Amino acid sequence: MGGRSRFLSSGLLAAVLACSVVGAGCERRDDRVYDPDHGDYHAWNRDEVAHYNQWATERHRDPNRDFRRLPPDEQKEYWTWRHSHGDPDHR
């Protein structure tokens, strides 16, 4: 019965590890980005990405570029634009 017990405990350990990996991948997390000029945070979610893509397209910039990698002056430009284009939570 020792061999069977090891097999079951190994299987249980594998199942626990698999669940923790799957659970971590499915964890819901809203990233928040700070707007220093307006002194507020914005949830970087699907809605904010849509606004960012609109801004980037209007400005002939790459909408796939990570916002956090933009130079500070471009981030400021985006937040100024964002606050004047339908941002009901941050007026």
Side-chain angles (χ1 to χ4, degrees), residues 9 20-21 24 49-50 58-59 67 77 82 86 91:
S9 58
S20 67
V21 169
V49 168
E58 287 178 8
R59 302 287 188 283
F67 174 81
E77 181 184 338
R82 181 68 176 98
R91 286 193 190 252

Side-chain angles (χ1 to χ4, degrees), residues 24-42:
C26 295
E27 179 181 320
R28 179 166 160 60
R29 192 183 78 190
D30 283 336
D31 290 327
R32 293 181 350 146
V33 179
Y34 184 65
D35 173 3
D37 293 316
H38 294 94
D40 58 359
Y41 285 89
H42 296 257

Side-chain angles (χ1 to χ4, degrees), residues 44-64:
W44 200 263
N45 54 25
R46 192 176 296 166
D47 293 334
E48 198 65 50
V49 168
H51 287 287
Y52 176 69
N53 288 342
Q54 180 183 352
W55 171 81
T57 301
E58 287 178 8
R59 302 287 188 283
H60 305 288
R61 296 196 173 107
D62 181 7
N64 296 314

